Amino acid sequence: MRVIAPKHLVALAAVATLAACSTSETGNSGKGGEPSAVVTEVPTEAMADPAAPAGREGAISSPRAPETPPKLPVSLPKLTYAYALSYLLPGDKIAAAQDAHRDLCEEMGPARCQLLALERGVGEEQANNAELKLRVATADARRFQVLLDHEVSEVGGRPENAKVATDEVSKQIVDTEARIRQRELLVARLTELLRKRNGSVSDLLEAERSVTQAQEELDQARGWLGELKGRVAMSEFEIRYAAIAPSASSQTLGTYLGEAAQDSGAVFQVGLRVLLSLAIYLLPWFVLLALPVLALRVLRKRRTVVQQG
């Protein structure tokens, strides 16, 4: 009997194992072509984006979020502003402060600031009161007020009172715009009627009068709308200046003394004129009353002389 070496036994075992595996794979492939293991094919889209299937499943499983309703347009109220400012200053600085405020307005230009009125005393009256009225663009109103306060502080004054009044004109603007649209439609229809000349002569004349009246109302409404929008775009400033105390300069004292002397002379002249006028009016009556008195005295003297004789 031939003895096989151990190393040959190991080689034979390896060859037998490989043959068995090959036979098993061939048998499985011959039974209907079914694979021995289940292989899951992954689509290329899923391979490209692994999070995509999870996102779709989450979208399908979760309820659909409600859509946000569209926001309604909101219109801001149309407001007009009126500023009333008053300042206290030294009497001799009122004119300088008023001129500085006027210069500020002129530097802004007529499109942003307009001078409405200026009032100031003449001579020594400037130490009492003054007034300035301006119209300033609403967007620059607050900054303009700060500049006014700064100019007054520069000359030694201070703000006394500040008041801001508002008036809402939104409804007036909306009503006016609606009236303008109605009148424009009316004018267009009547103009078309006149152009086609459909109807009798009296109807055409009535339509012409209606066009004229509607056009006048349309022009008035447009003018009023422009005024309202101008009031919204421009704010009114009413600035008052008052003196803290009159300045006591030598020139002022001499002026006051001269005015007092003039007033005293005028009063004396008036009084003398009144006395002379009374004397002139009463002199004839005095003469008439004095004649009987003198006649009585003469008669009494004669009686006294006769009695003594």
Side-chain angles (χ1 to χ4, degrees):
M1 183 174 182
R2 187 179 179 183
V3 180
I4 302 174
K7 58 181 181 179
H8 296 291
L9 291 175
V10 173
L12 290 174
V15 171
T17 303
L18 292 172
C21 291
S22 175
T23 306
S24 176
E25 290 177 0
T26 306
N28 290 337
S29 61
K31 295 179 183 178
E34 295 179 358
S36 60
V38 178
V39 180
T40 303
E41 296 183 359
V42 181
T44 55
E45 296 178 359
M47 293 177 64
D49 190 3
R56 284 197 212 92
E57 292 176 0
I60 295 173
S61 60
S62 62
R64 189 174 183 181
E67 297 181 357
T68 305
K71 294 183 179 181
L72 297 176
V74 179
S75 60
L76 297 177
K78 305 297 184 181
L79 300 176
T80 63
Y81 295 89
Y83 291 76
L85 309 176
S86 59
Y87 297 100
L88 289 177
L89 305 95
D92 55 348
K93 299 296 184 180
I94 289 181
Q98 192 179 33
D99 291 338
H101 290 172
R102 182 178 179 180
D103 293 339
L104 285 176
C105 180
E106 292 178 352
E107 290 175 1
M108 295 175 66
R112 298 167 57 198
C113 185
Q114 301 170 0
L115 176 64
L116 300 181
L118 187 148
E119 183 179 354
R120 182 190 304 173
V122 179
E124 296 301 328
E125 292 296 328
Q126 67 181 2
N128 295 329
N129 297 290
E131 186 176 353
L132 183 66
K133 291 183 179 181
L134 304 172
R135 183 178 292 152
V136 182
T138 303
D140 301 327
R142 177 56 185 163
R143 185 176 64 87
F144 186 74
Q145 182 182 359
V146 174
L147 293 177
L148 294 180
D149 296 343
H150 176 72
E151 292 294 338
V152 171
S153 300
E154 288 291 326
V155 296
R158 66 178 187 272
E160 180 187 16
N161 190 18
K163 180 180 178 183
V164 181
T166 61
D167 184 17
E168 185 174 357
V169 294
S170 303
K171 186 177 183 301
Q172 300 179 25
I173 291 178
V174 172
D175 293 344
T176 305
E177 289 177 345
R179 190 179 302 112
I180 288 175
R181 288 192 295 268
Q182 292 176 357
R183 291 297 179 270
E184 287 177 346
L185 291 175
L186 179 59
V187 170
R189 291 175 182 175
L190 294 176
T191 304
E192 184 66 17
L193 177 62
L194 290 175
R195 188 179 66 83
K196 293 181 179 180
R197 299 184 181 276
N198 294 331
S200 60
V201 176
S202 58
D203 294 339
L204 294 176
L205 292 175
E206 183 65 25
E208 186 176 356
R209 285 192 294 266
S210 300
V211 167
T212 303
Q213 182 178 359
Q215 188 65 44
E216 291 177 358
E217 295 176 357
L218 179 60
D219 294 339
Q220 292 176 0
R222 285 174 177 170
W224 176 239
L225 180 61
E227 182 178 350
L228 290 175
K229 290 183 177 180
R231 290 173 55 189
V232 173
M234 305 290 286
S235 300
E236 293 186 359
F237 276 76
E238 183 176 354
I239 309 170
R240 296 181 181 275
Y241 310 87
I244 298 175
S247 57
S249 60
S250 59
Q251 182 180 1
T252 303
L253 181 60
T255 303
Y256 285 157
L257 291 177
E259 292 179 354
Q262 292 178 1
D263 293 341
S264 177
V267 171
F268 176 77
Q269 292 178 1
V270 171
L272 183 61
R273 185 183 305 170
V274 171
L275 292 177
L276 291 176
S277 299
L278 288 175
I280 293 172
Y281 285 119
L282 295 178
L283 182 61
W285 298 99
F286 180 76
V287 172
L288 291 176
L289 293 175
L291 289 176
V293 172
L294 292 175
L296 290 176
R297 292 182 64 180
V298 170
L299 290 176
R300 286 178 181 178
K301 287 181 178 180
R302 287 180 180 181
R303 288 179 183 178
T304 303
V305 173
V306 171
Q307 291 177 356
Q308 290 178 357

